[in-house]
Amino acid sequence: MGCNMKKTSKILLAFGLGFASNALAENPIIQTYYSPDPAPVVFGDTVCVYTGNDEGGSFFTMHGWRVSCTTDMVNWTDMGELILTNESFGGNAKKNGDWAAQVVRRNGKYYYYVTVESTRGGRAINVAVADKPEGPFKDARNGQHLAGPNWDYIDPTVWIDDDGQAWLYWGNPKLYYAKLKENMIEFDGDIKVTDMSRGFSPSGNSVYTEGPWIHKRDKKYYMIYASHGVPEKISYSTSDSPTGPWKWGGVIMDQGNGTAFTNHSGLIDFKGRSFFFYHNQKNVSGGGYSRSTAVEEFTWNADGTIPTIKSTNDGVKKPIKNLDPFTRVEAETKSWVGGINVDKSGGYTIIKHVAKQGDNVYLTNMGSNFYTKVRSVDMGDGADRIIVCTRGNGGKIELHAKSETGATLATMNIPASSSWQENTFDLKDAAGVEDLFFVVKQGGFDFDYWYMESEKTAVPQTPFKEVASAIPGKIEAEDYDVGGHNKAFYDNDRENKGGAYREDEVDIVQIDSADKSKGFALGYTEDGEWVEYTIDNQIASEYTVRLNMATASDDVGVQFFIDDKEITDVIKAEKGEDWDHYSTVEAKTKEIPKGEHVLRMQIVGNFVNVDWFKFCMGFDCEESSIALPKSRVELQIPEKIYAVFGMTGKFLGNVEVNGQSVAKSIRAAGFTPGVYMVRSVGQSKTFRVLVK
C-alpha cells in the first residue's frame, strides 16, 4: 500500500545549526533549531519537551514555541511546525517576544502558559489550549492576558496538586503565584508574591532570579529556578506546602562546560528514572543567545535532596527501551542530526530540513552526507527488508550501523515519484541492537517514515474474512483487513486497550445493545490512526455513506480514502454524553471506481467510537430497504409488472417480467447498465437490482 496521505499545508523552515558531527554526543537533544527554556512533561508513556523557537545571534529573539517527544529518552521526534505564536493571541502580544512556557494536561485538554511581550508595554502571561499535546494551540482567553502586563511577569510553571488544585508560578526577580480555577484559564483569588530574599542561602543573600519550575515528590514540594543573577546557576528550595515557606536546598547546576549565561530548567520522574533538562550554548555562533535544550539523567539522594548535576556532551546514556524497527518510525525521529553547518560569516544557513504536510512531518531538502542517527534499534534475530516512504526527484540513502561510516546494511536508490510511495530494499546483516545512521548520498527527495520486515513479521494485506466487502453494503468497523501494523492499520501505540474481538494493536470495544445482543466498535481512537478494508465496488458511482459513531469529544470524526485518494471530507460524529450512546450521521462521497480497491478510514481528532458504516444510494439508504444479495445471484421473479426507479428515487417507468430475472428484463426493456430500485406495482417493498 502507499504512504499515509494527508492534506498539503505550508512548508516549515528550520535553522541549520553548527553542531559538530559527533556520533558519541547526545547533547543538545535538538540540533535543527535553537530551543531555549525546556519544559518537559510526562504524558503516560511519552515525554514531550516544550521549548522556545529562538533565532539566535545577538539577542533573545524568539518567535513561537515548538515541541519534540520521545518514548525512550534518547530518540526525539520533532512534532513539526510552530504549535503556537504571538499571532495566536488576538493582537495582545508583540512579534519576537515569545519567552518561556509550560504545558499541563487537564480534563482531556492541554493548557499552554506562555510569556509574551504585551502590546500595552511590559510582559504578560497568556494561556492557550489544544486537544492534542502537539497542538495546534489556540488563545483560551479571547485576546486577554491571564496576568500582566508587568515587566516582572515571565517564565510560568504550572502544577496540579494531588487534591486537584492547580497552581501557577512565575516571575523575575520575584516569585509570584496564584491558584487557578478548574477551567485553568482564570485565577481563583489574588496574585501573591513569595519573599525569596532571606534565609535561602548560606550568605543570606537572594539567590532566586527567574525561571521557576515546580515539582512534587514524596509529599515534598521542590521549587527549582535560575539563581545568583547573571551568569545564572540552577538552584532549588523545598517546602511542605505549595505556597511555602521555602527552605534553601542548594545549587543543582553551576556554570561551566558550555552552559549559557542564562539557564532554564525542568525536572521529571519517568519510568522509575529521573531527568534534568536545561539549555546550553554548544554551537559555533551566537554564544549565550543561541541556546539549545539538553538533558542529564540523575539519581535522587536518599534523603530526598537533589544532587549536583554537571552539563555533559553525553546526555542520557541508557534508553528507557530499545526502538522497535518493525513498526513505523518517523524519519524525523533521531538522537542526532549531522552535516548541517553555519556559514563562517556568522549568519545562518537556512535548511528546509523539516517540513509539514497537514499533520504529517517529514524530512526534505537533504544534502549529501546529511545524516540522522537513531539509537538502540532492536532488529532481533534479523530483518530482511527496509521500507522507506519517500517522494520527489529521487536520490540515494545508505543505512550504516554504529557510525555514519560503519557497516553498510542497505543501499537505497530512491526512485522519483510525484506522490508518497513506499519503496522496499534488501538488508544485509541487520540483526541485534545497533545505533543506525541514515546517510544521504544524493538528495532531491522527501523522507516521511521507515520500518523493517523479516520473513517472520511480513504478512500480506488481505480481507479479514477472506472475501472483499461488497459496496454498496454495510461494513462492520472491526472487520478491517489482516496485514498488521502500518499495512492494514496504524495505531499510535502497540497496546490493545479494548481487548475484544481481535488480538492485534487496534483497540476494539464491546457494545451492549438494548436488545442484549453483543456488538463491537473501534474505540480508544486517536488522531491520525487508520484502518483499511479491501472492498469490491459493484458500480462506479457516488454514494451516501452512513456511520454509526459515539463520542463525548468535540470536533472528532473520520475521513475516507480510496487507494490513498480522499473521497469524503471529514465526517464529524455527534457529540453525546459519553461513548456508550451511538448515533448515525451521513455524508456524500466522490465517485468510487468500480472493482476491488483499498478503503481507508482515518480518525480525525481524539476519541470517537465507530460501530459500522454503510455505502448506499437512494432507497437503499433508508433503514427499511432491502440490501442487494452479496452472492449477486440473479433472482427469478414470477411474471409481474414492476416499477423502476433511479437511485435518487425518480420514477423511470414500468417493466414487464416474463419468467426471466428482473435485471435481464430491465436490460431488455432498453435501460442502460447500472443500479436501479424496483418495486412490484401495488406493493410497498422495494429492492435493488444491478443491471449489467
Side-chain angles (χ1 to χ4, degrees), residues 294-350:
V295 61
E296 310 290 346
E297 184 171 3
F298 74 97
T299 301
W300 290 80
N301 293 327
D303 61 359
T305 58
I306 304 175
T308 300
I309 300 171
K310 293 184 178 180
S311 173
T312 73
N313 295 332
D314 298 333
V316 177
K317 296 181 180 180
K318 181 182 177 182
I320 293 289
K321 62 179 182 179
N322 293 326
L323 186 143
D324 181 0
F326 298 105
T327 64
R328 169 170 164 161
V329 182
E330 302 300 327
E332 64 276 8
T333 296
K334 44 66 184 173
S335 67
W336 193 264
V337 170
I340 304 178
N341 300 306
V342 174
D343 70 38
K344 295 181 180 179
S345 65
Y348 302 109
T349 301
I350 298 179

Side-chain angles (χ1 to χ4, degrees), residues 529-563:
E529 295 181 339
W530 50 261
V531 287
E532 290 188 336
Y533 308 82
T534 302
I535 57 103
D536 183 9
N537 186 31
Q538 300 175 20
I539 183 170
S541 177
E542 298 177 354
Y543 287 92
T544 294
V545 59
R546 307 183 78 240
L547 298 101
N548 200 37
M549 299 187 286
T551 187
S553 300
D554 293 312
D555 297 325
V556 297
V558 303
Q559 187 173 19
F560 286 98
F561 300 77
I562 287 286
D563 302 331

Side-chain angles (χ1 to χ4, degrees), residues 32-47:
T32 51
Y33 58 92
Y34 294 119
S35 54
D37 306 325
V41 188
V42 177
F43 299 125
D45 291 333
T46 301
V47 172

Side-chain angles (χ1 to χ4, degrees), residues 158-203:
V158 61
W159 178 261
I160 301 175
D161 212 342
D162 299 335
D163 60 2
Q165 179 60 59
W167 297 88
L168 192 73
Y169 306 81
W170 68 95
N172 174 344
K174 300 175 182 178
L175 177 64
Y176 297 85
Y177 69 95
K179 283 185 178 181
L180 286 165
K181 291 183 178 180
E182 175 76 17
N183 64 18
M184 301 298 286
I185 63 172
E186 296 176 282
F187 287 138
D188 184 6
D190 297 333
I191 295 173
K192 299 181 179 181
V193 61
T194 296
D195 184 359
M196 300 286 278
S197 64
R198 291 174 298 183
F200 286 90
S201 69
S203 64

